[in-house]
């Protein structure tokens, strides 16, 4: 560490060393100097004038020349476009670092192009809680000629960060952040920046002052914590508000005025996947006291492997060591080490990355164009739309609709725009609640299950997805998450194909048990349909292949038609001669003549509902004909309805209750498929020979 310049030593700290009028006195002193004109547009001269006051008159809690050089050297090498300062005080650091930013920007290879385009090459935001201090900052920044770069934001730091974010002034993220404000606010404000996606690996560097003296144990703990530790704290909802008891009273009461103790907003959760690497740095307080401060830049978690050269330690020429820095942007070089474009891309994408399956082209066969992406983009969740929740997926179930719509000729590319992640059904836990969702009874960390409304860019075959409030239901104790994931679309469809059409009949205590025919009883929707129909109190007849007859009977089917050995239409027609069905659920869409022949086996008050069908254009044309072709022109006479299920938390809750009671269970395909086997699993679904649902366990990254 370099020697301290005693000629610039500040006066000693008094018992009361700020907010006693000295800040305004400083401003008056500087503006009344006889050499005031020599200070105009001269940042170095203004800084010297501030140092002179602190050296000869009263102490000022500035960063000072020694510590300031460390950050200035960091600015020189990182060349930040956007820098955020938390705690402006009288503007010393704003002037020192704003000037360093301007010089670094002017030296950047693209500086002349930016200037000729009329755009600002860099921006320094100084957030200051006190309006009085902020006025001093503005006046001295203007005197130094830095008003075009330095902008002062008045108010609490968290409010200032949110305001800048809402005004899109931080859309490019924060390249360098200097924390030197209320010590209990360090972690809360850092978490807020993480929540707002302002901290970006490969670009963002943080420098925090006074972490050893007077001390900031929570901050040191947070930037040194592992993913597992942070996730554990998040599940415990630790640091949800208030002031950490590890701070000394002199720190927590530093800004007490008129008995008003400053509070900390602990609502920000932070991103546990963002891991920091840090070094403690020895330097000097302006009073000549040795101290240590910290500048922890982002780095990847250890699970993410990178090839290429090792990132070197970055040394400053006047102190022992600074930090192992984050990979710089394209303008920065550290110790002769320049980050390659590929490495920069990996670092920049990690903060918002997840493990996911994606298809690159929306055409048949979709599984041929699917791949695992280890740094896939997370679904946008800040802010979450109303009535939406961010879910950490642990299990995802496959459905034919996952590929059928995307594989449609001509229009599939518009429905399933690539790259996208397939999957509708899930079980997992709540990662983040949308606005107002805390009033629904859901909590962060709670186990849930449900489904997406339809194919989306961010499906459930990924670690994260965003789900509607109606599509998110609490997972009761005792239900296996893999079985809950299987409910999703199949269970909801089965329920909504039955209960709404039979509720009036079921409400009549003197009515006979409704007779239901389910075409296709061994698939995902069919296995749920048999059980739900029995739970509702119906007589059930179903179809399946020879191999699945016993399965359907074990689920409660009263009669099973083996389509391998029996003619389904003829068998149903014969049954209709003695007793007709009150309701039909067609999960298959074949045989083709089934609907037309339904007049022979469905009662006049009955209805024919269809949920499954071949997605070929000819099949879709045939389905359309059922809606518009009258019976006297050869169409069927039975009322026909194609059912598209709609997520309902109430319906999910009813199914979950039956599962707890043992009346309904998920039937899973006996052949097991892992995370790496998703394309093979879809091939199995397409074969039509599954015995229940295929559920994929989504890997954890902790």
């Amino acid at each position: 560490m370099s020697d301290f310049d005693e000629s610039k030593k500040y006066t000693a700290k008094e018992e009361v060393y700020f907010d006693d009028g000295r800040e305004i006195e400083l401003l008056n002193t500087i503006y009344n100097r006889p050499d005031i004109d020599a200070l105009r547009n001269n940042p170095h001269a203004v800084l010297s004038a501030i140092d002179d006051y602190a050296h000869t008159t009263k102490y000022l809690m500035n960063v000072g020349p020694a510590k300031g050089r460390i950050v200035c050297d960091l600015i020189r090498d990182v060349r930040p476009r956007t820098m955020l300062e938390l705690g402006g005080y009288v503007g010393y650091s704003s002037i020192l670092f704003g000037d360093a930013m301007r010089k670094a920007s002017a030296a950047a290879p693209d500086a002349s192009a930016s200037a000729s385009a009329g755009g600002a090459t860099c921006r320094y935001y100084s957030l200051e809680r006190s309006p009085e201090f902020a006025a001093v900052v503005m006046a001295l920044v203007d005197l130094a000629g830095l008003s075009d770069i330095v902008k002062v934001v008045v108010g609490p730091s968290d409010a200032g960060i949110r305001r800048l974010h809402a005004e899109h002034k931080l859309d490019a993220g924060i390249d360098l952040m200097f924390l030197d404000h209320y010590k209990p606010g360090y972690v809360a404000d850092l978490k807020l920046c993480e929540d707002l996606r302002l901290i970006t690996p490969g670009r963002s560097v943080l420098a925090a002052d006074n972490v050893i003296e007077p001390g900031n144990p929570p901050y040191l703990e947070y930037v040194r914590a592992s993913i597992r530790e942070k996730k554990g704290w998040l599940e415990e909802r630790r640091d949800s508000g208030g002031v950490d008891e590890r701070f000394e009273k002199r720190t927590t009461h530093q800004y007490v005025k008129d008995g008003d103790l400053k509070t900390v907003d602990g609502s920000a959760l932070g991103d546990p996947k963002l891991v920091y690497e840090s070094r403690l740095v020895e330097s000097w307080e302006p009073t000549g006291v040795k101290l240590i401060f910290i500048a922890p830049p982002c780095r990847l978690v250890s699970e993410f492997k990178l090839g290429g050269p090792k990132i070197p330690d970055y040394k400053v020429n006047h102190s022992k060591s600074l930090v192992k820095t984050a990979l710089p942007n394209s303008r920065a070089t550290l110790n002769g080490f320049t980050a390659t474009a590929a490495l920069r891309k990996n670092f920049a994408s990690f903060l918002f990355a997840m493990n996911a399956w994606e298809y690159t082209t929306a055409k048949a066969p979709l599984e041929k164009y699917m791949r695992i992406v280890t740094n896939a983009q997370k679904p946008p969740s800040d802010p979450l739309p109303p009535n939406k929740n961010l879910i950490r997926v642990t299990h995802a179930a496959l459905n034919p609709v996952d590929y059928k719509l995307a594989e449609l000729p001509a229009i599939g590319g518009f429905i399933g725009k690539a790259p996208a992640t397939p999957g509708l059904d899930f079980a997992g836990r709540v990662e983040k609640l949308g606005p107002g969702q805390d009033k629904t009874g859901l909590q962060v960390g709670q186990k849930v299950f449900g489904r997406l409304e339809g194919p989306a860019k961010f499906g459930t075959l990924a670690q994260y997805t965003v789900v509607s409030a109606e599509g998110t239901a609490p997972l009761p104790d005792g239900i296996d998450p893999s079985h809950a994931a299987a409910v999703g679309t199949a269970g909801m469809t089965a329920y909504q194909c039955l209960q709404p059409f039979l509720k009036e009949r079921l409400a009549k205590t003197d009515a006979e048990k409704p007779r239901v025919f389910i075409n296709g009883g061994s698939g995902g929707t069919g296995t749920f349909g048999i059980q739900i129909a029995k739970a509702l109190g119906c007589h059930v007849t179903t179809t399946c292949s020879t191999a699945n007859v016993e399965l359907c009977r074990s689920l409660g089917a009263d009669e099973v038609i083996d389509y391998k050995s029996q003619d389904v239409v003829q068998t149903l027609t014969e049954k209709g001669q003695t007793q007709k069905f009150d309701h039909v659920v067609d999960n298959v869409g074949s045989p083709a003549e089934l609907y037309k022949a339904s007049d022979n086996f469905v009662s006049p008050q009955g209805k024919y509902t269809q949920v499954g069908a071949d997605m070929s254009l000819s099949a879709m044309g045939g389905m359309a004909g059922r809606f518009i072709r009258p019976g006297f022109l050869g169409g069927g006479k039975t009322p026909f309805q194609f059912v598209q299920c709609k997520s309902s938390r109430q319906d999910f809750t009813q199914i979950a209750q039956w599962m707890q009671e043992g009346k309904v269970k998920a039937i899973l395909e006996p052949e097991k498929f892992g995370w790496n086997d998703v394309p093979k699993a879809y091939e199995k679904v397409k074969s039509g020979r599954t015995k229940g649902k295929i559920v994929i366990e989504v890997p954890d990254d902790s």
Side-chain angles (χ1 to χ4, degrees):
M1 185 171 68
S2 59
D3 294 334
F4 181 74
D5 186 351
E6 290 289 339
S7 67
K8 295 182 179 180
K9 181 178 179 179
Y10 282 17
T11 58
K13 272 187 186 179
E14 308 94 325
E15 183 68 26
V16 176
Y17 56 89
F18 74 101
D19 202 13
D20 59 352
R22 70 184 66 199
E23 294 80 18
I24 298 299
E25 182 182 19
L26 165 71
L27 188 62
N28 287 324
T29 299
I30 290 178
Y31 269 86
N32 286 322
R33 285 175 61 121
D35 61 345
I36 183 64
D37 288 337
L39 273 60
R40 298 188 190 281
N41 302 315
N42 189 338
H44 178 73
V46 175
L47 292 171
S48 294
I50 297 173
D51 285 333
D52 286 345
Y53 176 91
H55 174 64
T56 61
T57 309
K58 291 180 181 178
Y59 170 84
L60 295 172
M61 53 179 188
N62 296 328
V63 65
K67 290 188 293 181
R69 274 198 306 272
I70 297 173
V71 180
C72 285
D73 287 345
L74 192 59
I75 292 171
R76 178 197 63 203
D77 291 301
V78 173
R79 291 174 183 159
R81 291 296 185 94
T82 303
M83 183 167 174
L84 192 69
E85 172 189 40
L86 304 184
Y89 189 42
V90 295
Y92 188 97
S93 50
S94 300
I95 296 169
L96 179 61
F97 302 153
D99 185 45
M101 281 186 71
R102 183 165 62 183
K103 291 175 181 177
S105 179
D110 57 350
S112 58
S114 297
S116 62
T121 57
C122 57
R123 184 73 76 208
Y124 186 101
Y125 294 103
S126 177
L127 278 58
E128 174 50 54
R129 183 182 184 90
S130 166
E132 188 175 273
F133 294 172
V136 175
V137 177
M138 293 179 196
L140 294 180
V141 164
D142 182 66
L143 180 63
L146 291 169
S147 295
D148 60 327
I149 292 176
V150 178
K151 302 299 178 183
V152 181
V153 181
V154 185
S157 53
D158 57 333
I161 293 169
R162 288 190 174 94
R163 173 183 162 191
L164 290 172
H165 175 261
E167 294 175 351
H168 302 287
K169 293 179 179 177
L170 299 177
D171 283 355
I174 298 170
D175 299 313
L176 181 57
M177 182 160 70
F178 181 58
L179 297 91
D180 191 21
H181 60 319
Y182 184 54
K183 304 304 174 281
Y186 278 28
V187 173
D189 288 334
L190 177 54
K191 285 182 177 180
L192 175 60
C193 290
E194 291 177 353
D195 280 357
L196 297 178
R197 298 185 176 183
L198 304 178
I199 303 297
T200 308
R203 290 182 52 192
S204 299
V205 179
L206 317 177
D209 198 2
N210 302 322
V211 295
I212 300 297
E213 173 58 40
N216 201 321
Y219 181 80
L220 288 177
E221 180 182 57
Y222 186 77
V223 298
R224 291 170 169 177
S226 66
I227 289 178
R228 190 175 298 277
E229 288 173 321
K230 289 184 180 180
K231 283 188 173 181
W233 298 339
L234 192 61
E235 290 174 359
E236 296 170 6
R237 295 294 293 145
R238 185 176 133 178
D239 299 330
S240 59
V243 175
D244 196 294
E245 294 179 353
R246 287 172 288 179
F247 285 110
E248 295 183 7
K249 185 175 180 180
R250 61 175 175 152
T251 299
T252 60
H253 288 65
Q254 182 177 9
Y255 297 99
V256 172
K257 195 171 184 180
D258 299 327
D260 181 21
L261 178 63
K262 185 176 177 182
T263 59
V264 174
D265 180 2
S267 61
L269 301 177
D271 189 336
K273 293 190 185 65
L274 183 56
V275 176
Y276 297 91
E277 214 173 46
S278 63
R279 293 290 185 271
L280 295 174
V281 183
E282 286 186 300
S283 187
W284 298 97
E285 274 280 10
T287 55
V289 176
K290 281 187 179 181
L291 55 73
I292 300 175
F293 85 114
I294 188 171
C298 311
R299 71 167 176 83
L300 287 177
V301 295
S302 58
E303 288 87 349
F304 191 84
K305 306 298 183 184
L306 278 177
K310 181 182 178 181
I311 306 171
D313 284 341
Y314 173 58
K315 308 289 184 179
V316 291
N317 58 14
H318 58 272
S319 68
K320 290 183 178 178
S321 69
L322 181 60
V323 295
K324 188 177 288 184
T325 70
L327 279 176
N329 56 32
S330 59
R331 301 181 300 279
T333 303
L334 301 183
N335 258 11
F337 174 80
T338 304
T340 66
L343 286 172
R344 285 198 304 273
K345 182 179 179 182
N346 284 335
F347 266 77
S349 64
F350 173 75
L351 177 58
F352 312 121
M354 64 177 178
N355 213 344
W357 274 96
E358 289 184 352
Y359 55 84
T360 56
T361 303
K363 60 182 180 181
L366 195 67
E367 63 271 15
K368 179 181 177 181
Y369 302 99
M370 293 179 63
R371 60 176 184 172
I372 293 177
V373 181
T374 57
N375 63 340
Q377 179 190 355
K378 284 184 184 177
S381 59
D382 186 27
L384 280 168
N387 300 319
K388 297 280 187 177
N389 300 304
L390 178 66
I391 304 299
R392 169 59 173 93
V393 181
T394 60
H395 297 80
L398 309 190
N399 290 287
V401 73
D402 296 345
Y403 58 83
K404 282 185 175 180
L405 291 176
E407 291 181 352
L408 281 174
I411 64 173
F414 296 98
I415 297 174
K417 191 172 183 180
T421 295
L424 297 180
D425 304 343
F426 73 91
R429 59 180 179 270
V430 177
E431 188 79 7
K432 183 179 181 181
L433 293 171
Q437 288 302 295
D438 55 332
K439 299 177 181 178
T440 65
L442 292 178
Q443 298 178 346
V444 172
Q446 183 175 4
K447 292 181 180 180
V448 291
F449 74 107
R451 67 181 291 272
L452 305 183
E453 286 300 330
K457 179 176 178 61
F458 300 101
T460 57
L461 277 169
Q463 290 177 315
Y464 295 91
T465 191
V466 173
V467 189
S468 69
E470 286 297 310
T472 310
L475 178 62
D477 294 337
I479 299 178
D480 189 304
S482 63
H483 288 226
V487 174
T489 300
M492 184 62 59
T493 300
Y495 183 86
Q496 294 181 356
C497 280
L498 291 164
Q499 196 274 342
F501 300 99
L502 298 171
K503 61 182 179 181
E504 291 185 7
R505 175 76 175 267
L506 293 168
K508 297 178 181 179
T509 57
D510 57 342
E512 290 187 14
K513 183 184 297 184
R515 295 176 58 84
V516 173
F517 169 60
I518 298 175
N519 188 31
S522 61
T525 306
T527 54
F528 277 113
I530 293 171
Q531 298 176 86
I532 290 172
K534 295 303 293 183
L536 289 170
C538 301
H539 178 283
V540 178
T541 299
T542 190
T543 61
C544 66
S545 65
T546 307
N548 293 320
V549 169
E550 290 306 317
L551 169 64
C552 291
R553 284 177 177 162
S554 71
L555 296 176
D558 299 284
E559 298 179 71
V560 180
I561 301 172
D562 180 356
Y563 67 79
K564 291 284 190 179
S565 60
Q566 297 172 269
D567 184 300
V568 174
V569 173
Q570 181 180 341
T571 302
L572 290 172
T573 300
E574 291 174 355
K575 289 181 178 294
Q577 292 176 0
T578 56
Q579 195 168 16
K580 296 185 183 297
F581 292 97
D582 300 295
H583 189 65
V584 174
V585 178
D586 188 351
N587 295 317
V588 184
S590 65
E593 66 275 17
L594 184 64
Y595 170 68
K596 184 177 179 181
S598 64
D599 303 344
N600 299 321
F601 56 84
V602 179
S603 68
Q605 294 77 31
K607 182 165 284 190
Y608 190 109
T609 59
Q610 184 165 335
V611 294
D614 180 6
M615 295 303 290
S616 65
L617 293 178
S618 60
M620 294 177 69
M623 190 184 304
R626 297 173 187 176
F627 284 101
I628 61 177
R629 186 183 302 163
F632 66 85
L633 291 179
K637 297 178 181 179
T638 304
F640 176 86
Q641 182 170 334
F642 187 85
V643 176
Q644 183 175 5
C645 79
K646 184 177 181 181
S647 297
S648 165
R649 181 181 294 185
Q650 181 178 348
D651 293 351
F652 276 130
T653 301
Q654 175 61 76
I655 296 172
Q657 181 181 329
W658 282 332
M659 293 178 78
Q660 276 192 309
E661 295 171 351
K663 295 180 179 179
V664 172
K665 62 181 178 179
I667 304 300
L668 304 186
E669 163 62 34
E671 184 179 356
K672 302 299 181 183
F673 296 91
W675 178 247
N676 295 327
D677 304 322
V678 167
K680 293 181 180 179
Y682 274 117
E683 289 177 0
K684 182 75 173 184
V685 175
K686 285 184 173 183
S687 73
R689 296 184 176 88
T690 57
K691 296 182 179 180
K693 296 290 294 183
I694 294 179
V695 176
I696 305 295
E697 185 173 354
V698 180
D700 199 351
D701 57 0
S702 60

